[in-house]
Amino acid sequence: MQKIKYLDGLRGLAALIVVLSHFVVAFYPAMYNGAREQVHTASAIELSITKSPLNLLYNGNFAVCIFFVLSGFVLSYKFFQTKDNEVLVESAVKRYFRLMIPVLASIALVVILSKLALFYNNEASVTSFSTWWLGSFWNFDMTLGHVINNAFYGVFFNSNADYNTVLWTMTYEMYGSLLVFGLAAIFGRVKKRYLFYIAAILLLFKTYYVAFVLGMMISDFHNNNGFKHAFFRNPFVNVVLACVGLFLGSYPSGSIVKGSVYGFIEANAIEDIVLYHIAGAFLILVALLNTTKIQHLLSTRLFVFLGKISFSLYLIHVIVIGSLTSFVFIHMAGYVGYSTAVFLSGLLTLPIMLIISYFMYKYVDYNGIKLANKIYSRIFKRDLDS
C-alpha cells in the first residue's frame, strides 16, 4: 500500500513514547510502579504523576497497543482495496523475513556489546533503584546456539525476549499478522463479515490480538467509505473519541489507581489494563482518520521521519539505555545531582539513539524489506504462478 504519512507519524510518536517509558522505568521507577521507596525527588512528585493523565506521555503499553492496531489496519489495507487474496499470500510470506532481519541485527548488537563489556545497566540500576528492571538484563551466558535459536525462532514463536526486552511484542506481531491475513482470506468478501470480526474479538477478549482485529475492522470500514457518514465527520464527535481514547490510553500500567481520576474504572487484572489501552488506541485511530488538522500535524517532516525510523528506534533504544546512557549517567552522578545526571544523560544520548536508528533503518531495516520482496518474488511467487 502507498504510505499514509499521518499513520507513519502516529507510529513515530508511539515509538517515542515507548522510548520515554523505558527511560522513566530505568531512572524514575516510582513514576511507573508508584513505589515510595524508589522515589528520587524530595517532593515525591513521581507518586502524583504516575496516577495522573501525564502518564500518557510515557505509557509504553498504550503505545504498543497503537502499534498493534496500526498493524491490523495497514496489513489488511491493500486487500480491502483490491479484494485480491494474492495480496494476503504475499504479505504473509514476507512478514517473517521483514521482521527477522532487523531483529537479528539488534540481537547481534547486544552480543557484541556484552562481549566487549559495554553494558553498564547493573551499576546504573543500583543508583536508580531499578534493579528489578534495568538491572535484570543481559545477566546470562550468550552462546551461539542460544542466539540462533532466539533470533530465528524464539522471538517470533515463543515470546522469548532474553536479548532485547522489547522483542516480547514480536510473537504478537507474527501471530497477529497471520490472524489478520486468515480472517481477511476467509471472511473478507462475506457480506456480513463484521459478525465474524465480533466473534473473533469475543474469542480473543482481553488479549493483545483484539487490537489486530480492531485495526482490521477500521481498515475495512475506511476502505468501504464507512467514515463518510456525517456522524464521523462531526468535529465534536471526534474530539470526544480522542479525549476518551487518550484517557483510557493514559491508564497507569504498573501502579495502584485507587483515589485517582481512574478510580471509577479500577482494573482488577493486567488483562483489564490491556483492554483499556487497546480501546484507547482504537478510538484514537478512528478520530485520526476523521480529523484533518491532526493528520496534517502528524504528516510534518519530524513525525514522518520518526515514523520512518520507528521500528529501528523501537529495537535499539533499550540497548542504548543499558549501555551508553547508563555509562554517561554513572559517571555524571558523582559530580551533579541525581535529576541533573538523568537529564543530561538523556539529552546527550537521545540524539545518538536517533542517529543509530536512522542508520539501522537505512542499512538494515530497508534492506530487510528488499530481501523479503526478493524472497517472495524469486521463490514463492514462482511456485504460486507455476
Side-chain angles (χ1 to χ4, degrees), residues 22 103 106-107 110 133 136-140 142 146 149-151 153-172 314-315 318-319:
H22 288 141
V103 165
S106 76
I107 291 175
V110 166
W133 187 79
S136 67
F137 305 134
W138 312 301
N139 299 316
F140 59 92
M142 300 180 184
H146 189 237
N149 178 272
N150 188 267
Y153 174 78
V155 164
F156 299 104
F157 304 106
N158 202 29
S159 298
N160 192 311
D162 288 347
Y163 290 86
N164 190 352
T165 187
V166 302
L167 295 181
W168 68 270
T169 61
M170 291 301 102
T171 297
Y172 286 105
Y314 179 78
L315 290 177
V318 171
I319 301 171

Side-chain angles (χ1 to χ4, degrees), residues 82 140 143-144 196 248 276 315 318:
T82 64
F140 59 92
T143 64
L144 179 61
F196 295 99
L248 291 173
Y276 293 158
L315 290 177
V318 171

Side-chain angles (χ1 to χ4, degrees), residues 230-261:
F231 174 80
F232 293 106
R233 292 300 177 185
N234 188 319
F236 176 76
V237 169
N238 287 296
V239 168
V240 171
L241 292 178
C243 288
V244 174
L246 292 172
F247 179 76
L248 291 173
S250 68
Y251 189 97
S253 298
S255 64
I256 298 172
V257 301
K258 183 171 287 188
S260 72
V261 293

Side-chain angles (χ1 to χ4, degrees), residues 25 79 87 173 185 233 235 271 275 309 325 363 368:
V25 178
F79 169 78
V87 169
E173 280 288 353
R233 292 300 177 185
E271 291 80 9
L275 182 62
I309 67 168
T325 307
Y363 296 108

Side-chain angles (χ1 to χ4, degrees), residues 15-252:
L16 205 57
I17 290 173
V18 172
V19 173
L20 186 55
S21 75
H22 288 141
F23 189 81
V24 165
V25 178
F27 297 105
Y28 286 101
M31 281 177 63
Y32 172 79
N33 58 23
R36 182 169 290 275
E37 65 275 13
Q38 294 174 16
V39 163
H40 284 288
T41 60
S43 62
I45 194 174
E46 297 102 309
L47 303 182
S48 299
I49 292 175
T50 189
K51 296 181 181 181
S52 78
L54 287 174
N55 194 274
L56 181 70
L57 299 175
Y58 61 92
N59 198 311
N61 191 67
F62 173 53
V64 164
C65 290
I66 290 176
F67 288 148
F68 290 162
V69 172
L70 281 175
S71 288
F73 182 93
V74 172
L75 292 173
S76 60
Y77 192 88
K78 190 174 180 180
F79 169 78
F80 286 123
Q81 285 188 320
T82 64
K83 294 298 177 72
D84 182 3
N85 274 1
E86 177 70 15
V87 169
L88 300 175
V89 175
E90 179 182 355
S91 297
V93 168
K94 295 193 298 188
R95 191 63 173 160
Y96 172 79
F97 300 101
R98 186 265 176 274
L99 295 174
M100 183 269 292
I101 301 300
V103 165
L104 177 62
S106 76
I107 291 175
L109 179 59
V110 166
V111 174
I112 292 170
L113 291 175
S114 179
K115 296 301 182 183
L116 294 175
L118 293 177
F119 281 121
Y120 300 90
N121 56 300
N122 284 320
E123 297 96 316
S125 71
V126 175
T127 303
S128 71
F129 307 144
S130 186
T131 52
W132 57 275
W133 187 79
L134 182 60
S136 67
F137 305 134
W138 312 301
N139 299 316
F140 59 92
D141 292 329
M142 300 180 184
T143 64
L144 179 61
H146 189 237
V147 169
I148 293 173
N149 178 272
N150 188 267
F152 292 97
Y153 174 78
V155 164
F156 299 104
F157 304 106
N158 202 29
S159 298
N160 192 311
D162 288 347
Y163 290 86
N164 190 352
T165 187
V166 302
L167 295 181
W168 68 270
T169 61
M170 291 301 102
T171 297
Y172 286 105
E173 280 288 353
M174 182 57 62
Y175 288 129
S177 301
L178 297 177
L179 173 65
V180 168
F181 300 143
L183 285 174
I186 298 170
F187 305 114
R189 295 185 185 85
V190 176
K191 186 175 181 180
K192 296 185 178 181
R193 55 188 174 274
Y194 288 94
L195 294 176
F196 295 99
Y197 296 156
I198 293 170
I201 290 170
L202 292 175
L203 287 171
L204 299 166
F205 198 57
K206 293 187 179 182
T207 72
Y208 286 106
Y209 294 111
V210 169
F212 292 88
V213 181
L214 289 173
M216 180 183 177
M217 283 180 60
I218 300 174
S219 181
D220 190 353
F221 200 67
H222 177 70
N223 278 288
N224 285 283
N225 296 317
F227 290 124
K228 296 295 185 181
H229 192 281
F231 174 80
F232 293 106
R233 292 300 177 185
N234 188 319
F236 176 76
V237 169
N238 287 296
V239 168
V240 171
L241 292 178
C243 288
V244 174
L246 292 172
F247 179 76
L248 291 173
S250 68
Y251 189 97

